[in-house]
Amino acid sequence: MKSLRQANCCVSALVCSLGMSLAVLAFCISTQAADWPNWRGPNHNGISTEKGWDPGKIKAGVKPLWRASIGTGFSAVSVSNGLVYAMGNTGNKEKDVSKQTDIIYCFDAETGKEIWKYAYPQQLDPKNYEGGTLASPTVAGGKVYTISKDGKAFCLDAKTREKIWYRNLLEDLGIKRTTWGQSGSPLIIDNMVIYNVGTKGVALDKNNGNVIWENGKGPGGYATAVPFMIGQQQCIALFGYRNIMGLVASSGKELWRFPWRTLYDVNAADPIIADDKVFISSGYGEGCTLLKFRENNITEVWRNKNMRNKINGSVLWKGYVYGVDEGGELRCLDFKTGKPVWAQGGFGLGSLMIADGKLIVMAEKGNLVIAEAIPDGYKVIAEAHILSPRCWSVPVLANGRIYARNANGDLVCLDVSNNTQTVATRSNWAQWHGLNRDAKSTETGLLKKWPEQGPELLWSLDGLGAGFSTVSISEGLIYTTGMIDGTGILFAFDLQRNLKWKKPYGPEWATSVPGTRCTPTVDEGNVYVISGMGAVACFDARTGEEKWIVDAFNEFKGKYGSWGIAESPLIVGNLLICTPGGEAATMVALDKKTGETVWKTKSIGEKSSYCSPILVKRSNRNLIITMTDHFIIGVDAADGEILWQYDCKLYQANPKAINPNTPIYQEGYIYVTSGYDKGGAKLKLSKDGSAVVSQEWKDSTLDCHHGGVVLVDGYVYGSNWRGNPAGNWVCLDWATGQVMYETEWIGKGSITYADGMLYCYEEKQGTVGLVKATPEKFELISSFQVPKGTGQHWAHPVICNGILYIRHGDALMAYNIRAK
């Protein structure tokens, strides 16, 4: 749960009912789509990006997918990589306080099976409420961070529960405890984990628990720190016990503060930050205010008592604030003016989040309500009574499931996946390397071991022509490309392999290693391709109607290497990004609806180098990162300015100008790798993404040819170059670059990740291997050999809706890998 907000135990005498660029930080945590890895979600604002879920499944008599007993407390769950993390206390079972413990749990998200639990001594401490855990777990980089109400901070391995480090913040630093205990959840920023502990917070090194900064010995607030940016400076908003403060994240330096005194010093609801405004609210009749801040000052815009968030915070959605007032009403306020818009009673000290324009509200007495997040009035979509009181913990939607708990520790998981809709609404793979271009599927419930002959082959098809393109899947259709008689063909099949349409898009690469390279990109009803000759085309995704074709290579005087163009289109808002290279421009943005040029970068004299770019959100900037012949470049998506270019000579000896692997990004760091004995490097970006600050490490072992790499729980996996098609399989430590293993297995190849497993498709014999994603060793669990197709085994595996897709030359095969 959140902070005391979760247990905001507030007690009244007898009863406790308990001219500067500023922008909300859009963390680009390399997290999976629709995961909820920390308190208030991946963007720290209570809003999920999940779409297509079905609120109609919430109705009277709804049965949970699974339930668990997790002990007394108010911690909300966190969901990451198919696992659910929760916390509770044994105090109601152990009357002897010396035997009372907090327990951190890890469950399988689909089945509710307990994976592990970790216990440590902690008293229940029921001070005018049930007591138990308050803060929620934070999952980042393969680790779980927690804090108890007495300040016991843990860092555990997310998969094994191994203790990485522990600190008792109150005892170690001499900090005074809050009345109802530490409640703010851990916040990860760069190499720090930040807590609302002490007068103005504490920051530890997330890797070892060493103190980076601490600001005073007094009690802290009950809210979680919220990240934001002032210009290029990373900051946090900290709602302390008597102030709201803006601090520099790296040092804890105070930039501004605004006094906010609440009865019993209970400031529990997270601040809401939008541009240069911050909204705060507290209970006990205090009310709310909207503040405007600059780097070194803050002023009040308005103040009233229209929202009194006693325990759980509000959520800002499209100009309106939605929250549960301490009087028990679900309320909607105008953010700019603070004026009330509507109110609905009956929620007690409830809580809420927002997903796909819908309020997911948990009432105190156990009623789950789905309502429209609109200012027009309270409009219920669905509701059901799912738990008994007391329910102060915020409900969580993640990957088609809603998780809710009560104070006694009854945790339920409800299915709200949309089974009647297409794959796109549940488990899309609509572009190269999936939703985040990280070669990671969000699928869970997959087989952990295959039958001896391999997983069930559901179907196969032939006739795709020459090519190495993999598939994209969206709205119930499968897209891929192939070359027939020198012409590139875009195919669309339904999920049962029936051809829906096929369309030519012009000449394809027909010389050295002939065949298509591009994986189609599907976006807002259209599908986009780039030919090996540099033509860019757009078709209607349903009908195949040609919308436009642009010969970008000739128009921008492009240059490519010996194997043509191998880039897959990147969509950024209304823009399609491609990299023709050459004399006129290095990168170009086309209007995705018309094909017209929106911007082009300057030319840096480099050829296109087979690389598909990624989009990074760093501060308030959308940054496009790709590789050319000799450089890694960062381009501002707003106007095409090349912000930086990092010379590959700084980590490669004698660069070969062949850089086909898509970069990896996580928490301000980039990793790139290339084959032919060139190796890779991890680079650190500046806070706003405008520069490369440093090279963290370089490595010569994982010199990946073109099979790609994947980052899972703090480790990089892939295969290296030992000649065509030889190579070993390698694991690197993301933090240090240390080689964890290098193992021979038939030959090098391509890699995809899903549900704790690596799917390795080696290119020498066409064997697909199921390998545990663990740094201890290359542990091959199962394998099978691809039976159809001709030519090189170069297409990358795709996993979508429980199906493994393998492309080999003119053949496509679909395997059932769902667990029964």
Side-chain angles (χ1 to χ4, degrees):
M1 152 160 175
K2 183 238 163 357
S3 73
L4 181 107
R5 90 190 34 307
Q6 325 214 66
N8 203 29
C9 37
C10 318
V11 41
S12 126
L14 292 171
V15 172
C16 163
S17 94
L18 299 219
M20 175 169 296
S21 171
L22 304 103
V24 176
L25 174 67
F27 269 133
C28 186
I29 299 175
S30 188
T31 179
Q32 305 213 21
D35 271 2
W36 195 266
N38 50 261
W39 168 250
R40 299 268 285 183
N43 293 317
H44 309 275
N45 59 6
I47 300 172
S48 169
T49 59
E50 187 156 348
K51 298 181 183 297
W53 57 283
D54 185 3
K57 289 187 173 182
I58 303 301
K59 53 190 175 183
V62 61
K63 300 296 184 183
L65 274 176
W66 54 266
R67 62 174 66 242
S69 180
I70 58 175
T72 306
F74 300 88
S75 307
V77 304
S78 297
V79 183
S80 178
N81 289 323
L83 298 175
V84 178
Y85 300 88
M87 296 175 66
N89 186 278
T90 65
N92 282 339
K93 297 179 180 179
E94 296 286 354
K95 301 306 180 183
D96 183 349
V97 296
S98 67
K99 295 181 180 180
Q100 293 174 357
T101 59
D102 277 356
I103 301 180
I104 306 166
Y105 291 91
C106 175
F107 300 100
D108 181 277
E110 183 163 350
T111 66
K113 177 184 177 183
E114 184 181 301
I115 306 300
W116 57 256
K117 62 183 179 182
Y118 185 93
Y120 58 90
Q122 174 64 57
Q123 293 183 13
L124 179 68
D125 193 22
K127 190 184 295 291
N128 299 101
Y129 73 112
E130 290 84 349
T133 60
L134 303 180
S136 300
T138 296
V139 188
K143 300 178 179 68
V144 180
Y145 301 85
T146 64
I147 186 170
S148 77
K149 58 173 39 173
D150 284 347
K152 297 170 183 173
F154 286 88
C155 173
L156 308 179
D157 185 284
K159 287 194 172 181
T160 69
R161 78 175 179 183
E162 177 187 359
K163 184 173 71 175
I164 298 171
W165 56 259
Y166 161 76
R167 294 294 300 265
N168 188 321
L169 295 179
L170 302 189
E171 289 186 2
D172 293 354
L173 303 178
I175 292 173
K176 186 176 180 181
R177 184 184 185 272
T178 57
T179 301
W180 287 282
Q182 310 311 132
S183 176
S185 301
L187 170 69
I188 302 294
I189 295 182
D190 296 330
N191 67 321
M192 297 176 294
V193 53
I194 299 175
Y195 307 88
N196 192 349
V197 173
T199 311
K200 293 189 292 183
V202 170
L204 304 183
D205 187 307
K206 68 180 183 181
N207 296 310
N208 54 35
N210 293 338
V211 176
I212 294 177
W213 55 260
E214 59 114 345
N215 277 331
K217 310 302 182 181
Y222 296 98
T224 297
V226 178
F228 70 101
M229 297 291 291
I230 295 182
Q232 299 181 16
Q233 188 164 243
Q234 177 68 71
C235 303
I236 58 168
L238 198 71
F239 205 4
Y241 76 121
R242 293 180 181 177
N243 303 276
I244 172 74
M245 296 163 283
L247 308 176
V248 177
S250 61
S251 64
K253 175 186 174 183
E254 181 179 312
L255 297 173
W256 46 257
R257 72 163 55 198
F258 187 86
W260 192 260
R261 184 75 182 270
T262 304
L263 193 63
Y264 308 111
D265 296 325
V266 175
N267 291 327
D270 283 4
I272 296 174
I273 301 179
D275 298 322
D276 60 347
K277 306 291 195 308
V278 56
F279 170 90
I280 57 174
S281 177
S282 294
Y284 299 98
E286 188 61 35
C288 57
T289 185
L290 184 68
L291 308 169
K292 182 175 181 178
F293 60 88
R294 294 184 179 276
E295 183 172 9
N296 294 306
N297 66 77
I298 187 165
T299 56
E300 192 168 64
V301 179
W302 55 256
R303 181 192 293 222
N304 59 47
K305 298 183 185 297
N306 295 332
M307 184 72 78
R308 298 164 298 172
N309 293 139
K310 190 171 189 177
I311 294 177
N312 290 291
S314 296
V315 180
L316 174 63
W317 179 254
K318 294 186 176 181
Y320 294 90
V321 175
Y322 300 88
V324 179
D325 179 76
E326 69 177 347
E329 290 183 335
L330 176 65
R331 293 183 176 182
C332 172
L333 304 186
D334 185 295
F335 180 70
K336 290 184 179 180
T337 66
K339 293 181 179 179
V341 180
W342 58 258
Q344 177 68 35
F347 288 90
L349 291 179
S351 59
L352 80 159
M353 63 168 288
I354 290 179
D356 200 16
K358 301 173 183 66
L359 302 171
I360 303 174
V361 193
M362 191 71 215
E364 183 174 9
K365 292 186 177 180
N367 214 41
L368 179 66
V369 177
I370 315 297
E372 298 284 358
I374 54 175
D376 300 344
Y378 176 68
K379 297 183 179 180
V380 175
I381 300 171
E383 62 181 313
H385 190 270
I386 62 171
L387 286 167
S388 59
R390 174 175 350 214
C391 298
W392 284 348
S393 305
V394 177
V396 167
L397 168 69
N399 302 306
R401 303 180 187 96
I402 290 178
Y403 303 89
R405 69 167 295 173
N406 62 14
N408 293 330
D410 299 314
L411 171 64
V412 295
C413 170
L414 306 175
D415 176 24
V416 288
S417 61
N418 195 334
N419 297 327
T420 63
Q421 293 191 344
T422 62
V423 171
T425 62
R426 292 182 285 128
S427 185
N428 235 359
W429 193 281
Q431 63 173 337
W432 166 252
H433 273 192
L435 181 67
N436 295 316
R437 293 204 163 199
D438 57 6
K440 293 164 68 173
S441 169
T442 61
E443 296 287 328
T444 58
L446 305 180
L447 289 169
K448 302 300 184 182
K449 184 178 181 180
W450 297 333
E452 185 176 350
Q453 70 277 14
E456 176 191 6
L457 178 61
L458 294 173
W459 53 256
S460 64
L461 59 85
D462 302 296
L464 296 177
F468 313 102
S469 310
T470 187
V471 299
S472 295
I473 302 171
S474 179
E475 300 294 338
L477 293 180
I478 303 167
Y479 303 89
T480 193
T481 60
M483 184 180 72
I484 300 176
D485 297 328
T487 298
I489 307 293
L490 174 62
F491 296 89
F493 301 91
D494 66 19
L495 299 181
Q496 288 73 44
R497 73 175 172 177
N498 300 306
L499 179 67
K500 304 303 291 184
W501 54 261
K502 61 180 182 179
K503 294 290 181 178
Y505 54 85
E508 257 296 355
W509 187 257
T511 56
S512 178
V513 193
T516 60
R517 284 94 164 95
C518 166
T519 295
T521 298
V522 190
D523 177 78
E524 294 187 349
N526 292 320
V527 57
Y528 303 88
V529 293
I530 301 174
S531 78
M533 306 292 288
V536 186
C538 171
F539 298 85
D540 185 282
R542 278 285 163 194
T543 66
E545 175 192 358
E546 180 186 313
K547 297 290 188 72
W548 54 262
I549 296 181
V550 173
D551 188 348
F553 182 79
N554 287 320
E555 182 171 335
F556 298 103
K557 301 178 181 179
K559 289 183 180 180
Y560 46 60
S562 302
W563 300 284
I565 299 288
E567 181 180 26
S568 297
L570 174 67
I571 300 297
V572 181
N574 291 321
L575 305 178
L576 180 148
I577 307 300
C578 59
T579 313
E583 300 175 6
T586 295
M587 182 180 288
V588 173
L590 307 178
D591 186 306
K592 71 179 183 182
K593 295 181 179 179
T594 65
E596 297 294 323
T597 303
V598 177
W599 54 252
K600 60 181 182 179
T601 69
K602 67 179 182 180
S603 171
I604 59 173
E606 291 276 294
K607 296 194 294 288
S608 180
S609 193
Y610 319 108
C611 185
S612 294
I614 58 171
L615 176 67
V616 167
K617 292 183 184 295
R618 189 71 175 149
S619 178
N620 58 342
R621 173 178 280 124
N622 282 326
L623 182 68
I624 301 163
I625 299 174
T626 194
M627 297 186 74
T628 61
D629 268 7
H630 299 94
F631 292 95
I632 311 155
I633 63 171
V635 178
D636 193 323
D639 56 13
E641 179 187 359
I642 297 179
L643 299 171
W644 49 265
Q645 54 191 73
Y646 191 85
D647 197 329
C648 295
K649 290 180 181 178
L650 297 174
Y651 69 93
Q652 292 181 352
N654 303 315
K656 198 174 179 65
I658 302 173
N659 299 307
N661 293 302
T662 297
I664 289 176
Y665 173 84
Q666 179 173 278
E667 297 181 9
Y669 295 91
I670 304 163
Y671 171 74
V672 291
T673 180
S674 302
Y676 303 95
D677 305 314
K678 301 310 171 190
K682 179 182 174 183
L683 310 176
K684 183 178 181 180
L685 288 180
S686 62
K687 295 294 185 183
D688 63 351
S690 64
V692 173
V693 174
S694 62
Q695 182 182 120
E696 297 294 293
W697 50 258
K698 63 180 180 179
D699 160 74
S700 60
T701 302
L702 184 51
D703 57 332
C704 184
H705 189 196
H706 51 64
V709 290
V710 62
L711 173 61
V712 180
D713 295 336
Y715 296 95
V716 181
Y717 300 89
S719 63
N720 62 14
W721 161 267
R722 293 294 180 264
N724 266 331
N728 298 327
W729 294 81
V730 179
C731 172
L732 301 181
D733 187 301
W734 170 258
T736 65
Q738 177 186 353
V739 178
M740 305 306 294
Y741 65 69
E742 181 184 4
T743 303
E744 182 180 357
W745 177 65
I746 308 178
K748 63 184 173 67
S750 53
I751 191 168
T752 298
Y753 168 84
D755 197 16
M757 308 298 285
L758 304 173
Y759 293 74
C760 302
Y761 180 24
E762 62 83 23
E763 64 184 66
K764 184 181 289 186
Q765 300 175 7
T767 305
V768 182
L770 185 66
V771 178
K772 281 190 177 181
T774 174
E776 279 73 32
K777 62 179 179 178
F778 182 82
E779 186 176 351
L780 180 68
I781 304 300
S782 305
S783 65
F784 70 93
Q785 196 163 358
V786 172
K788 301 179 70 67
T790 58
Q792 296 93 337
H793 298 270
W794 285 352
H796 292 208
V798 165
I799 297 165
C800 189
N801 198 30
I803 309 297
L804 168 65
Y805 295 90
I806 299 291
R807 165 83 180 270
H808 180 211
D810 73 342
L812 177 65
M813 290 145 280
Y815 293 88
N816 181 11
I817 57 171
R818 297 184 186 92
K820 293 183 180 180

